[in-house]
Structure formats: C-alpha cells, structure tokens
Amino acid sequence: MPTPSQPGSGATGGIPDDAGAPDAPVTGAATSTSSSTKASSTAQAAGTAAATAAAEAAPGSTPAEQTSAERTGAGKATGKGASALRRRPWIAALFLLPALVVLGALVVYPIGYSIFRSLMNADGSSFVGLENFTEVFTDDGTLIAFRNNLIWVIVAPAVCTALGLIFAVLTEKVRWGTAFKLLVFMPMAISMLASGIIFRLVYEQDPDRGVANAMWTTVHDTFAETSPWPDARPRTDAPLSISGGAYTTKKTVDASSPAYLPLVGIPPKEASDAAVAKKPAKAEKGQITGAVWLDFVKGGRSEHGVIDQQEKALAGIKVEAVKDGRKVAEATTAEDGTFTLPAVADGAKLRLPASNFAAPYNGVDWLGPTLVTPAIIGSYVWMWAGFAMVLIAAGLAGVPRELLEQARVDGCNEWKVFRKVTVPLLAPVLGVVTVTLMINVLKIFDLVYVISPGASQREANVLALQLYLKSFGGSPDQGAGSAIAVILLLLVVPVMILNIRRLRRESRR
C-alpha cells in the first residue's frame, strides 16, 4: 500500500512540515478514508432502497432487471405514465370530449344533415334521390357559378402568390421594407363585408364618386379632347336646327351683321366660373363675327337671343362655316364667347359640330357584365396579397444565404438567382400559400354579394352565393341548396387531402 507522501497514495491535501514529517498527511489520509467509508455505506444503503422499490414495483423481476431499472429511472417514470394512460383511457377521452362535442355539433352534424337534405325535395317532405343534383347541373345560374369558381381558383391564388413573392423578395433589400409590409398586410385586418363596401364605392361609375373611374378618366382626358359644354342645346325658337348631333344656322350669314348663337341647357353652377358674354365687335374686311353664350340667367328674366343681364360666355366651342355641305372656315370661341371667321365665310351657314356637345367620358363600367368578376377578384387580391407576402417572407428568412452568395459568385445575375435558387427553395412555402388560398376562394361569398350590383350579379355568381340564393332567395329550395353545399364540400376535400399529405411529407423530412 503506498504511503501518503507518494503520488499514488490517494492522500489529498497533505502538506509536509519543515522536518518533512508525514504526520499531517497521515492524519488527513485517515480522515479521508473514514469519510469514504461512510459515503460508501450511504450509497449502498440508497442502492438497496432503490432495489427494494424496484422489486416492489415489478414483482418477480430478476436482480439484473432491477439493476437495469435503477440505471434508467427516468425512462421507467415515463413508461409508468404511458402504462397508466393505457390502463385509464377514459382520462384522455375526458379531455377530448369538449373538442369532440364542438366538432360534432359544428362540423359532423351539418355535413351529415346537408347530405340527407340534398336527397329531399324543396320543403323536405319527400325523398327525391339525386333529382336535386340533376337540377343543379342543368341550371344556367349554377353553371355560371361553376365557371366563375373555376376562374377564381385559377386566377386569385396565382396572382396573390405571385405578388406576395415579389413583395417579399423586393422588400428584403430596402430599409423601409417593414413599413411597406405593414401597409400591404393591413387590409387583412378589415372584414370581407367592409372590404366589399369599400370597393363598391371604388368601382362606382360616376367619376365624382368612384376612385377607379376618377383616376381612369383623368388619364384619358390628358390624352384625349373633351367636349367643353356637353349639356348645351338651342331653344326651340333659336335660329339653329339640329342635324346628326350638330346645330346649323337656318339662314346664311354675312359681314353686315354679327351672328348670334344662343344656347341653353347648361346648369348655372357649371357656368359659374365662365366669363361674362360680350357682344361681337364690328366686322372688318368682310369677316364674319359672332358670339356663343348661355342665354339664361338664374333668378331673372332675359330676352331670348340677346346678350343681356350678365349672361355667361361659352368659350372653346368650335364654329364652322359650311357652303354646299363643305367646311370652308373654322374658328373657336374666345373667353368672352366671341369668334371671328375669314371673309370666305361670307354667305355660308354656321355649324356647331357635334363634338362640342358629346357626352363626357365617364370611364369603365367596372361592375358591368363583362368586368364584374375581374373587378371583384382585384378586391380579393388587395386583401390577401399581404397574407401571401408575410408567409413567403417568413420562408425567405430561412433560406441559407450561403447558397445565394455562391450562386452570385458562380456568375448568376439576380434574375437567375431568383429563378434558379430562391423560388425552388421556397417551393414548400409557395405550395402552402397557394393551397390555402384555393380553399379560401372556393368558399368566397361576401365580396361577390356586396360588390356586384343586382343587374350583373348573375354574371358574378359563385357557388357559395348560388347556394344562398337557392336556399333563401325568392323561391327557396333548400333541397337544391343542400345539393350545391355537398358539391362544394366535394370540391374542397381533395384540396384539403393534398394539403394534409404535403404537411406529412414535410414533417417526415
């Protein structure tokens, strides 16, 4: 046995005195040995207690099994919990019962009752089999709804996903990207009903009320001429006759006397900013002079065919001199309504072309039969593009930057990096967004019902709206409505199964 002064002696903390006497280390060694003995006894006692507990928990087990159980105490505890749960499954059932009750009341029962009701007649008094389904597939309104739902499923998810991808990629490179994402996502906080009311006003035909047509007409009028006074017309006793939308003097004119061309039909408020009409100056060198003005004064009496009482001038009106059906001269009225034609117009008739009185351009009929469905899809994209952007941005944050940098080092430009690297890596996220939106648009109802006016609701119809109209419309038929509900369920189920399988594949990776 090594002495305490030797390195392998097991004595710890031994410090020799000045004479090198080992009495202090020996004392320390004795103390350490005593403590070790006590600790060993305590450990043996604890091991014996653990073995006894294991033997009581699992009677009939061998000592080797008991030793193994001592070494895996945590696993034993977990196994105990699982076995207890298996012995008392009613505990799990008790916790699941509220969810099962809600699921049965809100999902299972309505589905089952809808299937049953689809096999009954309109009032549910007799069984008709598949007659309701036959009626659904032969009804013109329902077929239009099927067509529109197909358009929705193809267009809306694709556009939302594409915009979300573009927004997510581009805003990642700018400093104010977070603020932009907030603005794009904000429409998600608005309900479908509120969004429908907003876009019902946006798509108003009147440019003074509808934002879309206000912008459209502004751009159109920038590049196209507009008629100055579209509501103007002559009185029945005026010296003008109508022909093809244009107004022509009944008699020829000459340089000896000015030509007076009075018009009415213009609301006073529209001419309130116009200049006061003036009498034409005396003609010189055989020229023809004249005036075009609003021959009406609000709240006062004016003499017909005479400029009086501060009547308003009609500026910007074209006046043509016509001889034998051929235009020989042309002039435009000044701010005071006067005009001057050259001497060649002497002996001609004066004509006010129809372009002076053409109706103003009022923009696009967004909610007409042709554009109502694309217009409503546009409002849906406004709402859901932010949803797609947020999910795609979250997926983009997990894309390894090393791959993108390596592609750039290899000589790829940004378009190739986006197309060959970013999009393939985001394919799972893009799939989630697309499938989610497809399920959502199959059930679209609120926007179509609120935005589409009654005159074009038939052209904007979708299955969910047709279900509502069939079940609760003017002549309710809840049998046919339930049949549409079953068809809608059958259309949604395959998309849901596809999504579930995709999620399982992702979880196994």
Side-chain angles (χ1 to χ4, degrees):
M1 180 176 181
T3 61
S5 61
Q6 295 174 348
S9 63
T12 58
I15 303 176
D17 56 6
D18 295 337
D23 52 350
V26 169
T27 305
T31 305
S32 175
T33 303
S34 176
S35 301
S36 300
T37 304
K38 291 179 181 179
S40 177
S41 301
T42 304
Q44 290 177 1
T48 304
T52 304
E56 292 176 356
S61 59
T62 64
E65 293 173 344
Q66 294 173 9
T67 304
S68 176
E70 294 170 16
R71 294 174 182 173
T72 57
K76 188 79 174 177
T78 305
K80 281 184 179 180
S83 62
L85 189 61
R86 285 194 295 269
R87 289 196 303 269
R88 294 190 292 268
W90 57 269
I91 297 178
L94 186 63
F95 280 102
L96 291 175
L97 183 60
L100 292 176
V101 171
V102 173
L103 185 67
L106 300 182
V107 178
V108 178
Y109 172 75
I111 291 175
Y113 184 76
S114 296
I115 295 174
F116 166 76
R117 192 66 179 82
S118 67
L119 304 176
M120 308 296 288
N121 63 353
D123 58 2
S125 59
S126 61
F127 180 80
V128 295
L130 300 179
E131 288 184 9
N132 289 322
F133 292 91
T134 303
E135 179 185 349
V136 165
F137 286 106
T138 55
D139 180 59
D140 291 339
T142 308
L143 294 178
I144 293 175
F146 272 110
R147 182 200 66 189
N148 290 337
N149 259 107
L150 180 62
I151 295 173
W152 272 88
V153 169
I154 294 174
V155 176
V159 175
C160 286
T161 305
L163 288 178
L165 177 61
I166 293 171
F167 292 158
V169 172
L170 294 183
T171 54
E172 194 181 41
K173 302 178 182 296
V174 295
R175 298 177 62 182
W176 41 268
T178 302
F180 179 81
K181 289 177 182 177
L182 178 64
L183 291 176
V184 175
F185 186 75
M186 195 175 295
M188 285 294 298
I190 304 175
S191 67
M192 284 279 195
L193 177 62
S195 297
I197 295 173
I198 291 172
F199 276 89
R200 184 69 175 83
L201 297 174
V202 168
Y203 291 134
E204 276 285 345
Q205 180 69 39
D206 186 359
D208 293 333
R209 298 182 61 191
V211 177
N213 271 338
M215 298 173 61
W216 190 266
T217 53
T218 301
V219 174
H220 175 272
D221 294 345
T222 303
F223 300 98
E225 293 185 2
T226 57
S227 56
W229 306 101
D231 299 324
R233 56 178 175 79
R235 280 195 176 97
T236 55
D237 58 350
L240 295 168
S241 61
I242 184 170
S243 58
Y247 302 110
T248 308
T249 57
K250 298 176 181 178
K251 297 179 180 180
T252 59
V253 295
D254 55 56
S256 62
S257 60
Y260 291 96
L261 305 177
L263 296 175
V264 293
I266 302 172
K269 64 178 182 179
E270 292 185 10
S272 59
D273 296 333
V276 177
K278 293 183 178 180
K279 294 182 179 181
K282 186 177 180 180
E284 297 179 359
K285 300 179 182 180
Q287 293 177 337
I288 302 298
T289 60
V292 182
W293 79 101
L294 177 60
D295 192 17
F296 175 82
V297 177
K298 183 179 180 182
R301 297 185 61 183
S302 62
E303 185 179 352
H304 293 180
V306 178
I307 299 176
D308 61 1
Q309 296 191 19
Q310 301 294 309
E311 292 175 336
K312 297 295 185 178
L314 300 181
I317 290 185
K318 292 181 180 179
V319 181
E320 298 175 346
V322 180
K323 289 183 178 180
D324 300 326
R326 183 172 58 90
K327 182 175 72 173
V328 296
E330 181 183 87
T332 302
T333 57
E335 290 297 324
D336 58 3
T338 61
F339 64 89
T340 302
L341 291 167
V344 70
D346 190 9
K349 289 185 177 182
L350 301 185
R351 179 175 65 189
L352 304 179
S355 59
N356 291 317
F357 316 107
Y361 179 69
N362 285 325
V364 179
D365 188 8
W366 297 105
L367 299 181
T370 304
L371 295 177
V372 61
T373 295
I376 300 174
I377 291 177
S379 65
Y380 179 88
V381 170
W382 176 77
M383 287 191 63
W384 288 86
F387 167 81
M389 178 195 64
V390 169
L391 291 187
I392 295 172
L396 190 62
V399 172
R401 302 301 168 188
E402 297 81 4
L403 297 178
L404 303 179
E405 294 301 328
Q406 184 63 44
R408 295 186 181 99
V409 170
D410 291 342
C412 293
N413 55 29
E414 291 300 323
W415 169 244
K416 284 188 177 180
V417 171
F418 173 75
R419 187 165 54 92
K420 299 290 187 180
V421 181
T422 304
V423 173
L425 291 175
L426 289 176
V429 180
L430 297 178
V432 171
V433 174
T434 304
V435 172
T436 303
L437 293 177
M438 288 175 65
I439 296 174
N440 187 269
V441 299
L442 280 172
K443 304 176 293 181
I444 193 70
F445 167 80
D446 314 64
L447 288 178
V448 181
Y449 185 70
V450 175
I451 295 178
S452 60
S456 58
Q457 191 178 78
R458 176 182 173 86
E459 285 72 20
N461 201 7
V462 290
L463 285 176
L465 178 58
Q466 181 69 4
L467 185 158
Y468 171 78
L469 295 176
K470 276 286 186 182
S471 300
F472 310 104
S475 55
D477 185 351
Q478 295 192 1
S482 299
I484 297 175
V486 172
I487 294 171
L488 195 57
L489 173 66
L490 295 177
L491 292 176
V492 172
V493 166
V495 183
M496 294 177 59
I497 293 175
L498 178 66
N499 199 27
I500 292 172
R501 288 182 176 179
R502 186 196 54 75
L503 291 174
R504 287 180 177 177
R505 286 196 301 268
E506 291 294 327
S507 64
R508 287 197 294 267
R509 292 180 180 177

